[in-house]
Structure formats: structure tokens, C-alpha cells
């Protein structure tokens, strides 16, 4: 063959005839010459996806420190160590480094997603070159190569068929279809949807039946999988809502701390005549007090605890903030096949002239009974029994059980028929031995039926036929019924077939005929007419039972569920109704979506619950439209076709059992049991995590604020500092590693899944939280100066008075901890008073530490503390209890008077 330049732009090869395709690629049935194949390999490159440039690990690690809050904390740590406070500086540095290490480990998701897709390229394939077959490395095939494929082969490139015999391909990884797609040589229109391009085999898909030859039309990054890989590479990973808020919060507090510290330093030195070294130490203490240096670590620990809890519920989180983000999800975009459904075909109805029989059970497990439409026992029906036997015998599939899971070897619909026979009480292998098969006409997309010839145990020979119902009906002269066969009732069968289609069922028709004892070969002429029609069977890929309950819980939690699938509209809508995704699910096909602008899609995406015949581009547009409308979007999926949208979503969720590696690597969370119900558990845990993060912030900032107000107030008014800088650092250090952590372990509050999701733009510092910071800080400041003046009035020296202040702050913070443990209900209850084991252990540690601080001589030398009388200690406890009562009254009042200003806001 002569050289030819292949245009790199995608072409509608499915709209070109095989002759036009061969001419365009300068090839033919004998394939390319070896020299020409080598030249094209040099021109087009190997059949693999291009590797992407990788960020050096050192640079990725250093990028974790590129944050204003981190810069300030490191500066404060350095200042503290230079001033001799090495322990405090080291603690701050450790917190920063831990945060950086966690971020470094969790990155690199996009690179792994591309690697996973690249690995899907088939390693070897059979090509025809110079009229002979050769097995070559799949990376060496080029446009114009003629590839030979048969059942079980993985397609190595995008191929235009030039010959197909009974060919079908499993394209679920691209289209989401649970049933293999028929493949033929005939052209289809240029605008045909991806799942309906009959003469095209796509790279990475699997041949399930038949055989064929085809011309390679695209390799590497120009294939459909290659285009999806480029989509993944072009998708920007979104920062989670929590990270956005923490960054904004960190920038605000950093500049606030720097500005306040600088002003106070100048004021203390110039106006109050502090020694500059003492003033600098006060400023460092103030900075450490105002900046919640332990907050990033506590948030990380809170997320990690959520990850551990979710792992116990079969959900593995690959990136910590995904836990919180999933809890904030307002829309879940779910693939249908294998996610909401079992990805296992099931016979739902068997229809004969005598009526309808329903089948219980789902999937390939031979469990379930035949029943009447009203739920009672199925009445005897000899025609139904004959149909089920025909379905078993005109069938090449087998069922196998592995580790308690039933699977099919062969076509999924044929596997469902074997299951049907087992449910009806037939033993598949025994029946096939008794009714020995003599010959067959394999199913072909052109004649649309399969026929088999069998020995009947009564001495005759039988022909069984199954196929498209309208085709099988055309082959029959009568229909089976009670007694002798009667005339075919076309209206009855049309009504039954239409009813099944309306339920999203795929339908097969069945017929039986007789043959002479001397017939050994089955011909088309023998089955074209004269058969007896037995009836039809309706198949469905059933929804998971637990998915129905999970969808209902999502709706009660204010989370919309949208099905995005490559399957047909009727099937998708029927499944959506069974799942109750919406009261009246509205559907939109991919072809209609193509005609919409992004603005049109943003308007209609809120109303539509089902998107059918969707391509990867459609899924990306839908997710982006929802995000543009302010939603926090989770996308579930298991195929390559889901990977770009899974990565674009705020949280991508992949299936662990049936999911491809590409989907898993693109996702932030993987469900080990492929169970949609696990997503609901993840939402539950995510909401709990966010509640606990709010509790951590709600406890940390007001307590820090109280310390800061005390220092500022004392310096501005020229009063004696009620706490020394080293005592402020002691309070921060002892509380950060104890009480600052325990809120991360809080269990879920009641009703966590009966609240609507929070808004995407909801600030982490809500109006109530800002009010709470100011209110509690003021109470703490009043308590500090009140107890300080009381101690001085009682005759304590400054060391003793300051010791009482430190204990007063610690006790108030302990009681305040009990107040914030419940955001949505009162803390005055038996459960609230008892606390969790983590809370009680932390309080025990703090009490022990404060006893050492107050009474241990070596602590007196280190921190300038002094012993305190027992009666004064009891007074401190009483003030702490009063503080909690005041805050509980304030919580209740705010919840009743101004709901918008409560914790719920």
C-alpha cells in the first residue's frame, strides 16, 4: 500500500462505507505492508496515551507550605525559640509539618488516573499484513492496519468494521449500557450517538460474541478512550469548600494577628515604656493566642476519624477533605449501570397467551419464585413451562458461583434465562443432557434470532427459537394456548410488548417447532415459517433493593439524585421511577443536550432527573452546570466513561468491585461493596465531620479570643497583665493537645440526616459563630479580670493571682466544651453531662496538669505559679458552672428568637 497522510482530527468513520474507509486509509483486506506499517508508526507514534509531565516530589512537598497562615506560624515559632521558648516553637513546627505531610501524601490523583486509562490498552492483537496474520504488540498497530477480533478479545484501537459475523461488544465502560451492543458493517448517520455507532469498535471495549475484521481508524490519544484521557487531563481539580474557607479564614486571621501585634508592640514600647524584649515576648504570646495554631491539625484529625469510621462502612476515602465535602453534597450524579442497578440482567415477566407470570429475586442468583401479578402463587401454565424450557435450551450461557457470588459465562440475557429456568425448578445441566442439542443457527444481528435443534425425549426432534419478538412472531403460524394451538393475536402481543417497554424492559420472543427424525442440520428454511409462538419474556437490570432506601434517605436529607447514563431513555426512566429519584422523573437525551447552550443547561438541569444516552462530554457539562448553580456535586461511577465527571465533581465516588482502575484513580472515594447505600453512610459521616469541625472552631476561637482581649485590655489601660506570656503559652499548649482534640471524636447528633445541605457559599464563620466569639471572649475577659482583682483583694501576691486566672480560664474552657458538644440541642442532659470517653480522659489530663501547675514547685519556677486555697478552687468551679448556664440560656434564646443566627445557620 502507498503512503497516506491520516488527518489527526476526529472523523465520522461510522458514516463512511467500508470501501470509503479503506480508500481513505490506503489499505484493503490484505492489510498494510510491513514497511508501510513501520513508516506510519514513525508518523503517528505508538498506540498508547502520552505520558504527562510530573511535578517533582520535592516541589509538591514544598508547595504544602505556600500558605500565609503557615508563614506566620513558622515566624512565631522562630521568634519563640530565639527567645528561649524552644518547646513552644517546636510544638508549632510539628503541627505545620504534619499538615504538610498529609497534603503531600494525598496529592497526585490526576497522574494516577491517566496511568490507569493508559493501562487499559490491550497488550497484543492479531493484524493482517501482506495477506498474512501476525500477532503484534498493540502499541505497534497503526491507522490502516486490519485487525482480527473474536469473542473475548479486548479492542486495541478504534476500528471501522469491514466484516462482522454475530459480533457484539461490551461497551459499558464507555456508554454505561449493561447489555452488549450489536455490531454490523452498515453505516449510520454522522450525528449518531456514541452507543449507537454500529460499525465502530472502540479501544478498551471487550468483544463478547462473534468475530470480525476491521480497519484501525484511530490510535493512542485519538481514540475515544484517548479523548476521555484528554478530558481528564484538562479538568481542574476543585478546592473543597472546607479548604477554601480555611484558607480565607487563615488569611484574615494572619493579617489581623500581624496588624494587632505590631500596633501593640509599638504602643507597649513607646507609650507604656515596656522593655522591647518583654514587649516582643508579649506580642509573640498574643500572636500564638490569637492564631489557632492547632486548628489545621485538629481539622485533619477530625477528617481522619471520619475516614476511619467510613472505612468500617465499606467506603475508602483517598483524600481527607472529601469526607467533609460529601457531607455538604446537595446533588449526587449517579451512573445507572452497576451503581443504582445490579448490572445483572433479570427476567421480570413471562407472558403467554394464558397470562402474565412475575419473577421474584434479582441478579443471577437462582433464588426466587414464580408468582401471579397479584402476588399470589403462579397458576399452572404448560405453555409457560414450555417457554422456560425453550429459553434454557436455545441458550449458550452457564451460571457459576464463586465465593457466594453468582456470575454468568456468556451473554447476560442468556444468563438471565438460565436463572429463570432454575427458579422454575429445572436443573440446567440435566435438562441439556436430556434434550441433546444437534445443531444451531447462532444469533446474528441481521436475522435477529437464534435457533437450536434438539432430541426430544419422546422420540421426536424439536426446534427452539428465541429472538426479537416481532421477528419471531413473523416466523410463526399460530400461538400456543390451552389445548390446541390457536390463531396469533397480534394486538394482544403488541399491547404486552409495549407495556414491557414502558417499564424499561428488554423483550425476547420464543417459539417452538417440530422436525423429522432424520433431520440432522438446521437451515433457515426450516424456521422461516410454521413455528408455534410460545410468548415473551421481559428483562430488566434491576435496581438494588438497598439503593431504593438510600435514594429515599438522600431526598429526606435535601440531596437531589440525578441519573446520568448511556442507556436508552425508556429503560433509564423506568429505573428512575422504581428508585423514586423524583416524584415524576423528567428525562433528557444527550442529543437534546447537544443543542443546548451552557446557560440553557443551567436552567433545565435543576428540573431533569434522568439524562439518557449521555457521553463523557455530556456528563462533564451536567456536573459543571450544577456547580455553576451553586451545588456541591458528588459523581458516582464505575466505567472509563465516568472518570472525567468523577474528577470534575467536588467528590468523585468510584465502585470498588466493578469499577475500572481509571474511575477509582480519578475518584476521591471508593465504595468497596459497590453499594449506593454506602454513599448515604458517607453523607452521614461527612455531616458529622463538618459538625465536629464547627464545634472545634466554635470552641477554639472564643477561648483564644478571651486570652487576647485580656492582653489587649491590660496594655491599653496600663493595667498589670493578669497572665504572663509564658502562662498564655502554657494554656494554649495544654489545652490544644487535650480539649482541642476531643471534639473530633464526637458522635453524630440526632437528626443529622433530616437537615438540608449547607450552601456552597456558606461561610465557615457564620453570623452566630461571630457573635459567639465576641460574646464568649467578653465573658472570659470579665471572668479573668474579676478573679484577678478578687485574688489581689484576698491578699494573694501577683503570682498567686495569676495562678487563679490560669485556673479560671481552664475551668471556663472545660465547661464551655460541654456547651459546644451539642449544636442543635441543649447540653443539659444525662448524655451531655456524662461526656464521651475521649472528653473525660482529656479533662482528667487537664486537671492533673493544672494540679501540677498550681502545686508543683518545679512548675512554680518554670511558669511563675503559686498554690491556691481549696475554697478559692471551689469558687473557680462555681464560676465555670455559672458560665455554662449562661451560655446554654443564650443558645436556647438564639435558637428560638433568631433561627437564622443559631448554630443551624
Amino acid at each position: 500500500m502507498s503512503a497516506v497522510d491520516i488527518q489527526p482530527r476526529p472523523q465520522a468513520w461510522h458514516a463512511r462505507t467500508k470501501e470509503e474507509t479503506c480508500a481513505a486509509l490506503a489499505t484493503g483486506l490484505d492489510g498494510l505492508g510491513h514497511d508501510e506499517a513501520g513508516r506510519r508508526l514513525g508518523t503517528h507514534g505508538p498506540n498508547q496515551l502520552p505520558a504527562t509531565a510530573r511535578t517533582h516530589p520535592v516541589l509538591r512537598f514544598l508547595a504544602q507550605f505556600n500558605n500565609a497562615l503557615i508563614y506566620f506560624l513558622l515566624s512565631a515559632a522562630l521568634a519563640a525559640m530565639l527567645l528561649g521558648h524552644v518547646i513552644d516553637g517546636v510544638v508549632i513546627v510539628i503541627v505545620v509539618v504534619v499538615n504538610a505531610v498529609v497534603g503531600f501524601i494525598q496529592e497526585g490523583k490526576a497522574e494516577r488516573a491517566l496511568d490507569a486509562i493508559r493501562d487499559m490498552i490491550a497488550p497484543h492483537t492479531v493484524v493482517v499484513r501482506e495477506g498474512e496474520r501476525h500477532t503484534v504488540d498493540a502499541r505497534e498497530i497503526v491507522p490502516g492496519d486490519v485487525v482480527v477480533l473474536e469473542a473475548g478479545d479486548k479492542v486495541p484501537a478504534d476500528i471501522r468494521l469491514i466484516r462482522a459475523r454475530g459480533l457484539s461488544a461490551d461497551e459499558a465502560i464507555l456508554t454505561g449500557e449493561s447489555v452488549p451492543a450489536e455490531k454490523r458493517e452498515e453505516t449510520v448517520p454522522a450525528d449518531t450517538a456514541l452507543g449507537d455507532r454500529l460499525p465502530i469498535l472502540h479501544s478498551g471495549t471487550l468483544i463478547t460474541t462473534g468475530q470480525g475484521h476491521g480497519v484501525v481508524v484511530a490510535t493512542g490519544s485519538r481514540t475515544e478512550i484517548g479523548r476521555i484521557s484528554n478530558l481528564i487531563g484538562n479538568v481542574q481539580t476543585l478546592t473543597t469548600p472546607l479548604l477554601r474557607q480555611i484558607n480565607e479564614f487563615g488569611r484574615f486571621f494572619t493579617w489581623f494577628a500581624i496588624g494587632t501585634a505590631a500596633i501593640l508592640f509599638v504602643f507597649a514600647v513607646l507609650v507604656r515604656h515596656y522593655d522591647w524584649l518583654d514587649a516582643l515576648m508579649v506580642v509573640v504570646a498574643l500572636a500564638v493566642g490569637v492564631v489557632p495554631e492547632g486548628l489545621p491539625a485538629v481539622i485533619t484529625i477530625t477528617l481522619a476519624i471520619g475516614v476511619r469510621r467510613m472505612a468500617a462502612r465499606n467506603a475508602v476515602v483517598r483524600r481527607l477533605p472529601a469526607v467533609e465535602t460529601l457531607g455538604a453534597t446537595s446533588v449526587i450524579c449517579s451512573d445507572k449501570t452497576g451503581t443504582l442497578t445490579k448490572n445483572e440482567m433479570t427476567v421480570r415477566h413471562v407472558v403467554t397467551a394464558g397470562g402474565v407470570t412475575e419473577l421474584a429475586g434479582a441478579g443471577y442468583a437462582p433464588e426466587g419464585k414464580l408468582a401471579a401479578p397479584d402476588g399470589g402463587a403462579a397458576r399452572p401454565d404448560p405453555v409457560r413451562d414450555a417457554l422456560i424450557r425453550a429459553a434454557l435450551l436455545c441458550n449458550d450461557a452457564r451460571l457459576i458461583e464463586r465465593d457466594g457470588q453468582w456470575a454468568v459465562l456468556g451473554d447476560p440475557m442468556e444468563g438471565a434465562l438460565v436463572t429463570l429456568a432454575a427458579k422454575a425448578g429445572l436443573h440446567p445441566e440435566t435438562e441439556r443432557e436430556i434434550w441433546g442439542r444437534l445443531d444451531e443457527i447462532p444469533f446474528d444481528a441481521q436475522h435477529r434470532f437464534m435457533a437450536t435443534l434438539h432430541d426430544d425425549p419422546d422420540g421426536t426432534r424439536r426446534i427452539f427459537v428465541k429472538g426479537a419478538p416481532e421477528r419471531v412472531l413473523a416466523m410463526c403460524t399460530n400461538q400456543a394456548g390451552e389445548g390446541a394451538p390457536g390463531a396469533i393475536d397480534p394486538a394482544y402481543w403488541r399491547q404486552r410488548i409495549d407495556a414491557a417497554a414502558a417499564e424499561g424492559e428488554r423483550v425476547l420472543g420464543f417459539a417452538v417447532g417440530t422436525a423429522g427424525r432424520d433431520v440432522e442440520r438446521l437451515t433457515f428454511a426450516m424456521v422461516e415459517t410454521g413455528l408455534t409462538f410460545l410468548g415473551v419474556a421481559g428483562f430488566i437490570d434491576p435496581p438494588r433493593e438497598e439503593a431504593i432506601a438510600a435514594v429515599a434517605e438522600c431526598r429526606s436529607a435535601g440531596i437531589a439524585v440525578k441519573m446520568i447514563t448511556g442507556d436508552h431513555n425508556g429503560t433509564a426512566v423506568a429505573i428512575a421511577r422504581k428508585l423514586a429519584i423524583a416524584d415524576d422523573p423528567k428525562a433528557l437525551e444527550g442529543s437534546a443536550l447537544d443543542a443546548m447552550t451552557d446557560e440553557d443547561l443551567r436552567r433545565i438541569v435543576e428540573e431533569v432527573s434522568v439524562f439518557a444516552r449521555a457521553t463523557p462530554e455530556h456528563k462533564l457539562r451536567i456536573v459543571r452546570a450544577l456547580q455553576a448553580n451553586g451545588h456541591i456535586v458528588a459523581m458516582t461511577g464505575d466505567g472509563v466513561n465516568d472518570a472525567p465527571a468523577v474528577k470534575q465533581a467536588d467528590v468523585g465516588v468510584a465502585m470498588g468491585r466493578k469499577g475500572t482502575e481509571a474511575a477509582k484513580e480519578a475518584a476521591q472515594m471508593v465504595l468497596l461493596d459497590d453499594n449506593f447505600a454506602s454513599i448515604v453512610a458517607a453523607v452521614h459521616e461527612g455531616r458529622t465531620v463538618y459538625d465536629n469541625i464547627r464545634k472545634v472552631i466554635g470552641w477554639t476561637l472564643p477561648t483564644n479570643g478571651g486570652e487576647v482581649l485580656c492582653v489587649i485590655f491590660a496594655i491599653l489601660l496600663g493595667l498589670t497583665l493578669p497572665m504572663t506570656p509564658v502562662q498564655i503559652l502554657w494554656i494554649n499548649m495544654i489545652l490544644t493537645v487535650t480539649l482541642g482534640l476531643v471534639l473530633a471524636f464526637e458522635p453524630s447528633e440526632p437528626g443529622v440526616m433530616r437537615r438540608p445541605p449547607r450552601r456552597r457559599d456558606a461561610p465557615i464563620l457564620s453570623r452566630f459563630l461571630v457573635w459567639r466569639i465576641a460574646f464568649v471572649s467578653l465573658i472570659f475577659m470579665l471572668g479573668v479580670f474579676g478573679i484577678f482583682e478578687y485574688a489581689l483583694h484576698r491578699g494573694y501576691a501577683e503570682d498567686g493571682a495569676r495562678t487563679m486566672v490560669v485556673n479560671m480560664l481552664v475551668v471556663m474552657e472545660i465547661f464551655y466544651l460541654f456547651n459546644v458538644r451539642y449544636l442543635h440541642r441543649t447540653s443539659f442532659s444525662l448524655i451531655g453531662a456524662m461526656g464521651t470517653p475521649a472528653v473525660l480522659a482529656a479533662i482528667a489530663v487537664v486537671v492533673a496538669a493544672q494540679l501540677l501547675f498550681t502545686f508543683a514547685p518545679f512548675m512554680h519556677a518554670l511558669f511563675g505559679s503559686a498554690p491556691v486555697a481549696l475554697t478559692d478552687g471551689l469558687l473557680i468551679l462555681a464560676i465555670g458552672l455559672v458560665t455554662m448556664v449562661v451560655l446554654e440560656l443564650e443558645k436556647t434564646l438564639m435558637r428560638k428568637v433568631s433561627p437564622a443566627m443559631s448554630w443551624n445557620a
Side-chain angles (χ1 to χ4, degrees):
M1 292 291 174
S2 61
V4 63
D5 292 325
I6 312 302
Q7 297 182 19
R9 299 181 61 184
Q11 300 188 44
W13 295 105
H14 51 278
R16 293 190 177 193
T17 65
K18 53 188 179 183
E19 292 80 12
E20 291 172 344
T21 301
C22 289
L25 297 171
T27 188
L29 295 178
D30 289 338
L32 300 173
H34 294 293
D35 292 340
E36 175 63 14
R39 191 198 72 81
R40 294 191 186 189
L41 183 62
T43 301
H44 301 287
N47 179 36
Q48 62 185 13
L49 301 183
T52 55
R54 299 177 184 269
T55 303
H56 195 278
V58 173
L59 296 179
R60 283 206 296 120
F61 180 72
L62 293 177
Q64 309 302 316
F65 296 92
N66 187 23
N67 181 285
L69 177 60
I70 300 300
Y71 293 152
F72 185 76
L73 288 177
L74 290 176
S75 299
L78 178 61
M81 286 187 282
L82 291 176
L83 294 173
H85 298 277
V86 178
I87 294 177
D88 304 303
V90 169
V91 168
I92 298 172
V93 170
I94 289 174
V95 168
V96 171
V97 171
V98 168
N99 201 44
V101 170
V102 170
F104 172 75
I105 292 174
Q106 299 300 331
E107 285 192 352
K109 180 182 59 176
E111 294 176 357
R112 293 194 296 271
L114 289 171
D115 288 343
I117 291 182
R118 190 177 298 114
D119 291 341
M120 294 188 68
I121 298 295
H124 291 88
T125 192
V126 177
V127 299
V128 177
R129 289 181 179 170
E130 297 181 355
E132 297 181 352
R133 295 189 180 190
H134 300 272
T135 300
V136 300
D137 190 321
R139 291 173 296 182
E140 297 176 0
I141 65 174
V142 296
D145 259 328
V146 175
V147 176
V148 180
L149 296 165
E150 59 185 18
D153 288 343
K154 183 174 285 187
V155 180
D158 283 0
I159 293 171
R160 171 48 165 102
L161 288 169
I162 57 177
R163 181 180 182 276
R165 294 295 180 267
L167 193 66
S168 64
D170 181 355
E171 297 183 331
I173 60 172
L174 282 173
T175 67
E177 291 249 21
S178 55
V179 175
E182 298 177 5
K183 293 296 177 180
R184 301 197 295 267
E185 305 161 16
E186 293 82 0
T187 60
V188 293
D191 59 354
T192 300
L194 179 67
D196 298 324
R197 295 174 185 173
L198 300 180
I200 300 295
L201 294 174
H202 295 290
S203 179
T205 60
L206 187 70
I207 303 299
T208 54
T209 62
Q211 59 181 7
H213 293 193
V215 177
V216 174
V217 295
T219 59
S221 60
R222 296 181 184 132
T223 62
E224 196 65 32
I225 282 184
R227 292 176 58 245
I228 294 174
S229 173
N230 291 333
L231 288 171
I232 292 179
N234 293 333
V235 172
Q236 295 182 354
T237 302
L238 296 179
T239 302
T240 69
L242 178 64
L243 292 181
R244 284 195 295 267
Q245 293 169 0
I246 290 297
N247 287 336
E248 293 172 5
F249 168 75
R251 282 193 294 270
F252 166 77
F253 257 78
T254 297
W255 290 114
F256 175 78
I258 292 173
T260 303
I263 293 172
L264 280 179
F265 179 79
V266 173
F267 186 86
V269 173
L270 298 182
V271 179
R272 298 302 178 196
H273 307 293
Y274 275 65
D275 179 80
W276 75 269
L277 194 59
D278 293 338
L280 182 61
M281 191 60 206
V282 170
V283 165
V284 169
L286 175 67
V288 174
V290 72
V291 176
E293 71 278 2
L295 195 57
V298 176
I299 289 176
T300 299
I301 291 170
T302 306
L303 293 169
I305 292 169
V307 169
R308 186 184 65 193
R309 289 174 176 171
M310 292 173 64
R313 303 176 78 168
N314 293 315
V316 175
V317 173
R318 303 177 63 249
R319 193 177 179 200
L320 285 179
V323 182
E324 170 272 334
T325 312
L326 191 59
T329 296
S330 56
V331 177
I332 297 177
C333 294
S334 176
D335 185 48
K336 175 182 71 67
T337 306
T339 307
L340 292 167
T341 67
K342 296 175 69 69
N343 196 21
E344 297 174 348
M345 296 302 294
T346 300
V347 177
R348 183 60 66 210
H349 297 98
V350 175
V351 183
T352 64
V356 179
T357 301
E358 295 188 349
L359 279 299
Y364 299 122
E367 301 167 355
K369 296 181 179 180
L370 281 63
D374 61 4
R379 67 177 184 82
D381 185 349
V383 178
R384 179 194 63 221
D385 297 341
L387 183 153
I388 294 174
R389 178 172 280 108
L392 172 63
L393 298 176
C394 188
N395 191 321
D396 292 323
R398 290 193 305 115
L399 294 181
I400 58 172
E401 183 183 14
R402 292 175 182 166
D403 301 326
Q405 297 289 326
W406 287 88
V408 61
L409 295 179
D411 182 82
M413 294 182 76
E414 289 194 338
L417 293 173
V418 178
T419 301
L420 167 65
K423 290 178 179 179
L426 299 180
H427 189 282
E429 298 306 319
T430 301
E431 290 294 319
R432 286 170 172 172
E433 288 181 10
I434 295 173
W435 294 74
R437 183 187 295 188
L438 301 174
D439 197 17
E440 65 192 43
I441 298 176
F443 179 86
D444 187 276
Q446 292 180 339
H447 55 252
R448 301 169 64 203
F449 70 84
M450 174 182 179
T452 55
L453 177 65
H454 296 263
D455 267 328
D456 189 324
D458 66 6
T460 61
R461 290 190 173 174
R462 298 275 182 178
I463 299 171
F464 297 113
V465 177
K466 79 170 188 294
E470 61 275 13
R471 179 71 177 93
V472 177
L473 276 167
M475 301 160 66
C476 298
T477 55
N478 52 35
Q479 67 183 37
E482 292 186 8
I488 292 176
D489 185 351
Y492 171 81
W493 293 113
R494 174 48 52 197
Q495 185 268 330
R496 291 298 188 184
I497 293 169
D498 289 345
E503 291 293 319
E505 295 180 0
R506 301 172 187 269
V507 183
L508 283 180
F510 299 86
V512 65
T514 59
R517 286 291 303 165
D518 57 343
V519 174
E520 298 289 342
R521 303 288 296 176
L522 197 57
T523 65
F524 280 94
M526 297 170 61
V527 297
E528 283 295 335
T529 186
L531 301 178
T532 298
F533 193 70
L534 296 173
V536 297
F539 300 74
I540 196 166
D541 181 9
R544 294 173 177 268
E545 293 85 352
E546 61 272 24
I548 298 174
V551 169
E553 190 166 1
C554 283
R555 293 184 66 184
S556 72
I559 301 170
V561 179
K562 297 186 182 294
M563 180 191 296
I564 309 178
T565 178
D567 213 338
H568 292 280
N569 185 72
T571 303
V573 171
I575 293 295
R577 288 199 181 101
K578 292 179 183 295
L579 289 165
I581 283 178
D583 294 333
D584 182 20
K586 295 183 179 179
L588 182 72
E589 290 202 356
S591 56
L593 195 152
D594 283 329
M596 291 183 179
T597 64
D598 289 342
E599 287 300 318
D600 292 336
L601 181 58
R602 283 187 60 182
R603 284 192 295 271
I604 200 171
V605 74
E606 303 288 346
E607 305 171 5
V608 176
S609 301
V610 177
F611 295 88
R613 309 304 283 168
T615 65
E617 291 91 341
H618 296 152
K619 295 183 180 185
L620 271 177
R621 288 188 64 198
I622 293 165
V623 171
R624 285 170 173 164
L626 289 166
Q627 290 172 331
N629 287 348
H631 289 290
I632 295 179
V633 182
M635 172 71 190
T636 68
D638 54 6
V640 174
N641 62 313
D642 300 321
V646 164
K647 184 167 181 285
Q648 172 68 35
D650 296 279
V651 173
V653 184
M655 302 298 112
R657 289 182 179 175
K658 297 179 180 177
T660 61
E661 287 303 313
K664 294 176 188 176
E665 295 294 336
Q668 287 126 325
M669 187 173 76
V670 178
L671 302 182
L672 297 181
D673 57 355
D674 290 10
N675 194 335
F676 188 83
S678 296
I679 299 174
V680 178
V683 171
H684 184 278
E685 292 297 339
R687 291 189 173 192
T688 301
V689 164
Y690 192 74
D691 277 353
N692 289 349
I693 288 172
R694 293 178 71 199
K695 293 174 187 178
V696 168
I697 295 172
W699 179 83
T700 303
L701 297 188
T703 55
N704 285 13
E707 299 169 8
V708 170
L709 277 184
C710 292
V711 175
I712 294 175
F713 193 69
I715 292 177
L716 290 179
L717 298 184
L719 303 176
T720 302
L721 282 175
M723 296 172 289
T724 64
V726 72
Q727 288 171 346
I728 294 176
L729 291 171
W730 162 259
I731 294 172
N732 288 341
M733 182 169 61
I734 190 61
L735 294 183
T736 296
V737 299
T738 54
L739 301 186
L741 294 177
V742 295
L743 290 171
F745 296 87
E746 284 296 297
S748 302
E749 291 191 41
V752 70
M753 289 299 289
R754 292 193 293 273
R755 307 197 305 258
R758 72 179 188 276
R759 304 189 316 274
R760 171 182 283 274
D761 58 351
I764 197 166
L765 287 177
S766 64
R767 287 181 293 171
F768 176 79
L769 190 52
V770 172
W771 154 258
R772 177 54 75 94
I773 292 171
F775 183 63
V776 176
S777 297
L778 181 61
I779 289 178
F780 278 28
M781 185 188 73
L782 293 175
V784 164
F785 279 105
I787 204 71
F788 187 66
E789 292 300 321
Y790 165 83
L792 292 177
H793 182 72
R794 283 262 294 167
Y796 281 96
E798 284 188 359
D799 286 352
R802 284 171 171 160
T803 302
M804 287 190 67
V805 166
V806 171
N807 281 294
M808 182 76 261
L809 264 178
V810 170
V811 167
M812 292 176 77
E813 291 185 9
I814 289 174
F815 278 101
Y816 181 46
L817 177 75
F818 279 91
N819 172 262
V820 300
R821 285 189 62 229
Y822 292 99
L823 305 180
H824 308 281
R825 53 185 274 184
T826 180
S827 297
F828 283 136
S829 64
L830 180 60
I831 297 177
M834 291 179 63
T836 63
V839 169
L840 298 179
I843 291 175
V845 172
V846 171
V847 169
Q850 284 306 115
L851 290 174
L852 284 175
F853 176 85
T854 305
F855 297 107
F858 73 93
M859 296 294 281
H860 298 165
L862 287 173
F863 294 99
S865 56
V868 174
L870 176 61
T871 55
D872 292 324
L874 294 176
L875 174 64
I876 290 173
L877 289 175
I879 295 174
L881 180 60
V882 171
T883 301
M884 181 176 178
V885 172
V886 171
L887 292 175
E888 279 296 308
L889 291 174
E890 176 257 359
K891 184 200 298 184
T892 303
L893 185 64
M894 294 296 292
R895 193 163 55 239
K896 291 182 178 179
V897 175
S898 181
M901 281 279 287
S902 72
W903 280 108
N904 297 296

